[in-house]
Amino acid sequence: MEEKFAKKVVEVNGFPHIPLYSEEFTEAEMLARTGKFYSELSARRSVRHFSDRPVSKDIIEQLIITAGTAPSGAHKQPWKFCAISSEEIKRQIRIAAEEEERSNYNSRMSEQWLKDLAPLGTDTNKEFLQIAPWIIVVFKQVYELGPEKDKRTNYYVNESVGIACGMLIAAIHHAGLVTLTHTPSPMNFLSKILERPENERPFLLLPVGYAAKNALVPDLQRKSLEKISVFYE
Ligand code: IYR
């Protein structure tokens, strides 16, 4: 077993490389695995009703480190995950998010937008921000700060952080927990409350926890394979 994971470092173009470790499956195994994975992820739902049941920091750490395995432009890993269980900080976030949402729902959002959201039952009340045991706020690092405070470029930041968030959401679901992609807009208040440096901008806010007992979710349908794909064979 040990040898399988032993790192044999070789140089390619002057940079260290290691042999790829990857598992191979038979066609039958692959079909079973992809089907099971689809079935697991297709059970994921955005949930707005949380239980206040605690989730350990160990779990949140594993979820974040999983998200951190995402690919990123030039491997710059331009993300920062702020995990908040402090009641006081959650309270501040809720108050500020609800204030922005009041402007959104009462004036910034178009009639059409409000109509599109109606089936989801969203409104300006964001009590889940206080009920969920954790809030993860994902920041994108628009540039990197070097040791002399020099600015170093990051690449494909939105794509990279978006992928990491997708992986985080999948990991949360896999853990048996629920989340919701909440995007109060504008989100600058999060930088202030969490005292983030100038190179970090809020990207996505995810309350994380157990679903409330008897939580209801909208009866949504997902687009079929035929609708979402085109094959060129
Ligand atoms: N940010 C608002 C509105 C909202 C917008 C979309 I697009 C959604 O899919 C859901 C909500 C809110 O969180 O209520």
Side-chain angles (χ1 to χ4, degrees):
M1 246 347 231
E2 254 192 15
E3 258 156 43
K4 204 166 163 187
F5 297 104
K7 274 193 180 182
K8 277 213 186 73
V9 183
V10 294
E11 272 202 9
V12 180
N13 301 326
F15 294 97
H17 283 63
I18 52 167
L20 170 70
Y21 168 72
S22 78
E23 264 183 275
E24 206 179 288
F25 305 101
T26 65
E27 174 74 15
E29 284 169 336
M30 235 192 277
L31 269 173
R33 289 172 65 92
T34 50
K36 196 159 171 260
F37 195 60
Y38 162 63
S39 150
E40 185 180 342
L41 285 196
S42 71
R44 186 204 56 78
R45 296 300 311 262
S46 291
V47 172
R48 289 178 174 78
H49 303 113
F50 285 80
S51 152
D52 61 3
R53 187 172 157 196
V55 171
S56 74
K57 184 176 174 185
D58 289 348
I59 301 290
I60 299 298
E61 285 176 347
Q62 302 243 64
L63 298 174
I64 292 173
I65 205 157
T66 303
T69 65
S72 61
H75 192 52
K76 293 283 191 172
Q77 307 172 80
W79 41 64
K80 183 80 90 185
F81 300 91
C82 294
I84 302 135
S85 64
S86 152
E87 294 301 334
E88 173 50 23
I89 298 176
K90 287 197 298 182
R91 191 184 66 87
Q92 289 177 28
I93 290 177
R94 175 185 178 181
I95 290 169
E98 286 183 339
E99 199 176 311
E100 290 299 351
E101 294 300 7
R102 274 193 292 274
S103 304
N104 287 333
Y105 282 85
N106 297 334
S107 58
R108 290 198 283 241
M109 283 152 74
S110 66
E111 278 298 307
Q112 186 57 51
W113 193 347
L114 293 171
K115 259 194 202 141
D116 284 340
L117 286 183
L120 305 182
T122 64
D123 58 28
T124 57
N125 176 7
K126 304 298 173 193
E127 68 180 353
F128 56 75
L129 293 173
Q130 271 185 290
I131 297 174
W134 291 91
I135 297 177
I136 300 179
V137 182
V138 185
F139 285 81
K140 63 177 179 182
Q141 298 180 323
V142 286
Y143 56 86
E144 210 170 45
L145 277 177
E148 254 94 73
K149 296 258 169 189
D150 48 314
K151 292 184 183 181
R152 300 172 178 185
T153 311
N154 285 334
Y155 310 93
Y156 298 103
V157 170
N158 290 320
E159 291 83 348
S160 305
V161 182
I163 294 166
C165 287
M167 293 173 64
L168 178 58
I169 291 165
I172 291 168
H173 175 69
H174 186 63
L177 299 172
V178 297
T179 187
L180 168 69
T181 50
H182 180 44
T183 50
S185 166
M187 291 202 279
N188 339 15
F189 69 86
L190 292 166
S191 305
K192 281 208 201 92
I193 294 174
L194 300 173
E195 302 177 338
R196 300 316 305 159
E198 151 56 32
N199 65 322
E200 292 184 6
R201 309 282 156 77
F203 186 81
L204 199 63
L205 187 163
L206 298 157
V208 182
Y210 290 91
K213 286 251 177 304
N214 311 319
L216 292 175
V217 291
D219 184 18
L220 305 180
Q221 305 305 320
R222 293 198 166 107
K223 289 182 180 174
S224 65
L225 174 65
E226 289 67 34
K227 272 239 170 79
I228 66 166
S229 61
V230 186
F231 286 75
Y232 301 83
E233 291 176 273

